[in-house]
Amino acid sequence: MAALEKIPQMVRVLDFFPEHNTAYIIMEFLEGQTLKEITQAQGPCSAQVLLPLLEPVIRAMEAMHQANIIHRDISPDNLMVLKSGKVKLMDFGCARDIEGGHTMTTMLKHGFAPKEQYSGHGQGPWTDVYALCATMYYCLTGRVPPSAMERDDSEEDPLVPPTRLGAMLSPGQETALLKGLAVRAADRWKSMGELYGALYGITLDGHPWTPPEDWEQWN
């Protein structure tokens, strides 16, 4: 986690120590409100506010994945809006090294965790993509998405598109979000960089974004 020290959108880890047959992490103290608290108090957030707010966070998550770390617990109560208006990702207690290919323990929040997280197999950056898109869905609609274990990729999927719940998204933005919430990991964006391009229309390095070959089937 020391690799994340220079990413300002990540909570800083100050120290760690073992005690009482467990381990403790000391993190910086943050003052603000979580996205969950804000949504509960004020209702759904507009896309015009949410997307610019999370833009630097998505960049930071891509940097986190490039450092071979996946968070595995992205949710509205782990993203805090500070008094400065900036957002920080918190709670790295479930974070794991991407490399190694071993089974990862099951640590999840229903509605925000994808299917692969229930089994502990096949997790990667796409796992955090699902959780972030589920978080955005919650902020835009005020509703927690259905549990991934209740969903499938048929027409009977209980996930209601956010625009049907009042979210003001462009067709492209909604498609980007729904692809990020794909039940099968193979159908999902593979990286935060891919999600970023679809949401903002440009790549992380500022070039025009080119839709993937399967883009039409998601529209």
Side-chain angles (χ1 to χ4, degrees), residues 102-117:
H102 54 277
T103 299
M104 298 185 187
T105 53
T106 303
M107 305 286 288
L108 50 85
K109 290 189 178 83
H110 297 297
F112 300 98
K115 271 190 174 180
E116 68 268 17
Q117 208 164 341

Side-chain angles (χ1 to χ4, degrees), residues 1-198:
M1 289 178 65
L4 307 179
E5 177 71 21
K6 295 183 179 180
I7 304 178
Q9 291 81 17
M10 306 288 171
V11 64
R12 288 192 303 124
V13 176
L14 305 177
D15 200 0
F16 70 94
F17 61 91
E19 193 67 61
H20 305 302
N21 295 316
T22 187
Y24 295 85
I25 301 174
I26 301 174
M27 302 187 192
E28 67 174 318
F29 178 74
L30 302 177
E31 289 189 83
Q33 287 185 298
T34 65
L35 290 180
K36 180 177 181 180
E37 291 171 336
I38 293 173
T39 303
Q40 288 180 337
Q42 302 178 11
C45 182
S46 71
Q48 290 77 12
V49 171
L50 186 67
L51 291 180
L53 188 69
L54 292 181
E55 188 269 343
V57 178
I58 299 175
R59 285 181 173 274
M61 290 180 187
E62 174 67 16
M64 175 181 69
H65 293 154
Q66 291 297 322
N68 291 319
I69 295 173
I70 53 175
H71 188 278
R72 302 200 313 143
D73 194 21
I74 296 169
S75 62
D77 48 0
N78 281 339
L79 282 160
M80 177 172 282
V81 181
L82 308 180
K83 292 183 177 180
S84 65
K86 297 180 180 180
V87 181
K88 281 207 175 191
L89 178 61
M90 308 182 295
D91 197 349
F92 282 78
C94 297
R96 292 292 184 274
D97 194 316
I98 294 174
E99 297 178 345
H102 54 277
T103 299
M104 298 185 187
T105 53
T106 303
M107 305 286 288
L108 50 85
K109 290 189 178 83
H110 297 297
F112 300 98
K115 271 190 174 180
E116 68 268 17
Q117 208 164 341
Y118 285 79
S119 67
H121 296 281
Q123 299 177 58
W126 47 90
T127 303
D128 285 345
V129 166
Y130 186 101
L132 178 63
C133 287
T135 295
M136 295 174 67
Y137 183 99
Y138 171 79
C139 293
L140 289 166
T141 67
R143 293 191 186 184
V144 176
S147 168
M149 300 304 290
E150 300 172 358
R151 299 183 57 207
D152 55 42
D153 52 8
S154 72
E155 293 182 358
E156 303 302 318
D157 186 354
L159 182 75
V160 180
T163 54
R164 295 186 189 175
L165 298 174
M168 300 296 290
L169 292 167
S170 70
Q173 290 168 342
E174 181 165 66
T175 299
L177 190 64
L178 292 177
K179 184 173 170 63
L181 284 167
V183 177
R184 296 176 62 246
D187 295 332
R188 223 175 289 150
W189 302 114
K190 299 301 182 293
S191 70
M192 289 293 174
E194 290 183 358
L195 173 63
Y196 183 96

